[in-house]
Amino acid sequence: MSYVPSTAVFEFEGGQYVPVLPLVFDFGGNYAGYALPPSLVTSLTSTWSRPSATADAGADASWSAVGHRDAAGVSGWGIGQVVDLQRGAPWSGVPAKDSSNDLEWGAASAMDGAASRAQWGDLPAKDLGVAPGWDQSIQPVEWRVRLVYNPRVPAKDATTRGRYQRSAEYRARKLQQQSSQLYVPPKPLAFAFDGGLYTPAVNGAVFFTFELPATVAGQIGPVDASTRMPVRPARRVNLFSRLLWGRATPLDPVPTGIEYPDYEGPITIITPPAEPDILETYMIANSVSFLVLPDRVPLEATNLRIGRDIDSFAWTLSANLFGHTSLSQVRPDANGPKEVEVAINGHVWVFLIDRYSGTGQLGKEVYGITGVSRTQLLAAPYAPARSQVNSADINAELAASNELINTGFTLNWESYTLGPPDWTMPAGAFSYQSQTPMQVIASLAETAGGVVSPAMASDELTILPRYRAPVWQWSSAVMDRIIPAAIISDWGSEWQPQPEWNGCYVSGTNYGVAVDVRRAGTAGDNPAPDVFADWITGTEVARSRGIAEISKGGNQEIVTLNLPLFPAETAPGLVTPAQLCEVRDVDETWRGLCLSTEITAEGIGASRVKQSVRLERHHAEVA
């Protein structure tokens, strides 16, 4: 509708326009407000001018086409109705009745405050009775212990302390004081007793007292403090020459209570192996862990392989690591190789990581690491090479033990139970040049037909015979492991025939003996290659070496068996090289010597684990 101002005076004489009353506009949008004077002046000037034809057309185009009747309605600017002013009511204040809602957030009633005070109030007076337990119950007479430096111990506690106390040994001694002597003045004194009382001057220079002071004892010091004698262990010399006579020979290491009237030699007691359980289904929860020592930091590793063969003196490890961060945990540095612990189904190994290699591409790095057991520290490149010659008779077991002095390793050589035997080498016979301790120990074991068996996780070595019993006596020998066909997943074999040797010539070189070892019951007409060694200086060692060489011959095959790795308490457990195994096959039972063992694991945690053993099986009529 048209805008019609109420009361306004326009004076076009150059002055500013000031409306008398506020102006109210109502354009149908329910809006009430005050118009700014500049907009009003501009609007009035344009409204009262004569619009051109183009201006009217432009207005019609902006607001679409308007009918003639609508145009007539627009032209009127009447006064707004009073009823339009009531449309401001929705924006008025909240009715008074709505103010009563504030009571919902008012203060809590007095009864609530009383309840809370009752629950959190002070304790009743009767609870304060526990305070007398901490009263001043100590009697004043007991405080005298603070005034002395050596209080007397109460009688009830006299047995809990020593009766003697240490004196001040490093303080100057004071002798017992003697009786005080009378004072003799340097010049004669004259005393006049003329019947009057002696009255000394008020400020007299000399006073006399005729009194003998009591004897005062001095402080007693320990007179024997400097006479003590230190006792230290005697100086140890000639360590390499101790026990030159060797060990005593026990006739029966394990008492059996059985008398043998026709046999005086040693009796070997071997515990028979545990019988494995034959089940329809074997469920094994494999567990594999890979830890970095000494902090026991776990690492993620894959393709783990742990193995050893009968001629090796150390276990070997190979695995894959992902990422440079994992490699930095085990990479050797200036302090030497890092140690790792690998545990598979309860069997624990400790390895030194000595080598690594890496391959990578964008976003992927794979490192291969290899390790050896701690016995590698006795060989190159960790142990220095040295030379030696014995100046007195020495037995082989002592010579091997001397190589481990100051290394922390221990040697087990059961020469009178499992073998190989011990023997004595005369002066000058035990000599070598530029060899490590492990080379010397391995040569001593090989001389007697034995092998070196390293411990898996400790600094320990064991000398075992390669053949604990000759191959022609395996049918009656006690086995170390029993492997049933039920636990064998797959197998393989390779035929490796050798001549049927029945004798061997074993001899020393510069020292020793020459022995022609022959298998009992044969003519010894098919001898094995002769053996010459510097340290064969006894008949027993020559016999043991000859039996080992003869046992290597005959028709034989190498059988590979893949089986699970059971825990140590479940038979057969871990099969190690140099053990005799009885294989209970489907159609026959045969026995063989373990040549090598390899354990593989796909990864860490609950992973697939497999144990692969290689057995030397001899095909002979009496085997």
Side-chain angles (χ1 to χ4, degrees), residues 406-467:
N406 300 326
T407 62
F409 284 81
T410 58
L411 179 70
N412 296 324
W413 190 330
E414 300 296 335
S415 57
Y416 297 102
T417 55
L418 296 177
D422 193 10
W423 73 98
T424 303
M425 293 176 286
F430 179 65
S431 63
Y432 59 87
Q433 293 183 354
S434 300
Q435 293 189 15
T436 61
M438 183 56 72
Q439 287 179 308
V440 177
I441 296 175
S443 298
L444 287 171
E446 184 182 6
T447 301
V451 294
V452 178
S453 178
M456 297 190 301
S458 60
D459 296 346
E460 189 174 356
L461 295 173
T462 303
I463 305 300
L464 297 176
R466 186 183 186 93
Y467 296 91

Side-chain angles (χ1 to χ4, degrees), residues 56 83 566 621:
D56 295 339
V83 69
F566 291 96
E621 295 181 358

Side-chain angles (χ1 to χ4, degrees), residues 273-330:
E275 288 286 342
D277 298 330
I278 306 301
L279 306 175
E280 294 182 359
T281 303
Y282 293 88
M283 301 293 294
I284 303 176
N286 295 321
S287 175
V288 183
S289 63
F290 191 96
L291 306 176
V292 182
L293 301 179
D295 298 331
R296 305 187 66 83
V297 178
L299 288 183
E300 184 72 21
T302 59
N303 298 331
L304 279 80
R305 289 182 177 272
I306 299 175
R308 185 177 73 87
D309 58 58
I310 195 171
D311 295 315
S312 300
F313 55 82
W315 291 85
T316 60
L317 165 71
S318 65
N320 291 337
L321 300 178
F322 295 96
H324 188 270
T325 303
S326 298
L327 178 65
S328 61
Q329 297 288 336
V330 299

Side-chain angles (χ1 to χ4, degrees), residues 538-549:
T539 304
E540 288 298 325
V541 63
R543 179 179 180 273
S544 177
R545 179 63 178 274
I547 293 176
E549 296 298 326

Side-chain angles (χ1 to χ4, degrees), residues 351-409:
F351 295 98
L352 303 173
I353 304 302
D354 58 348
R355 298 179 185 275
Y356 72 91
S357 61
T359 59
Q361 58 185 1
L362 183 60
K364 182 179 180 181
E365 295 180 357
V366 180
Y367 295 93
I369 60 173
T370 59
V372 292
S373 58
R374 287 184 52 85
T375 48
Q376 187 66 36
L377 296 175
L378 300 175
Y382 305 105
R386 51 193 178 184
S387 303
Q388 183 180 337
V389 58
N390 64 318
S391 58
D393 295 351
I394 188 173
N395 61 312
E397 183 179 353
L398 178 59
S401 300
N402 288 340
E403 298 294 326
L404 302 180
I405 294 178
N406 300 326
T407 62
F409 284 81

Side-chain angles (χ1 to χ4, degrees), residues 59-142:
D60 295 340
S62 302
W63 300 95
S64 72
V66 182
H68 293 286
R69 57 183 180 182
D70 294 334
V74 175
S75 60
W77 295 89
I79 300 175
Q81 301 297 327
V82 179
V83 69
D84 296 337
L85 297 177
Q86 297 178 357
R87 298 184 178 181
W91 301 97
S92 59
V94 180
K97 62 180 181 180
D98 296 336
S99 301
S100 60
N101 295 333
D102 296 339
L103 297 177
E104 297 180 0
W105 302 97
S109 60
M111 59 182 302
D112 296 338
S116 62
R117 287 194 300 270
Q119 295 180 359
W120 303 96
D122 297 333
L123 295 174
K126 62 182 180 180
D127 295 337
L128 299 177
V130 298
W134 300 93
D135 61 350
Q136 303 294 330
S137 60
I138 301 178
Q139 299 299 324
V141 68
E142 297 178 358

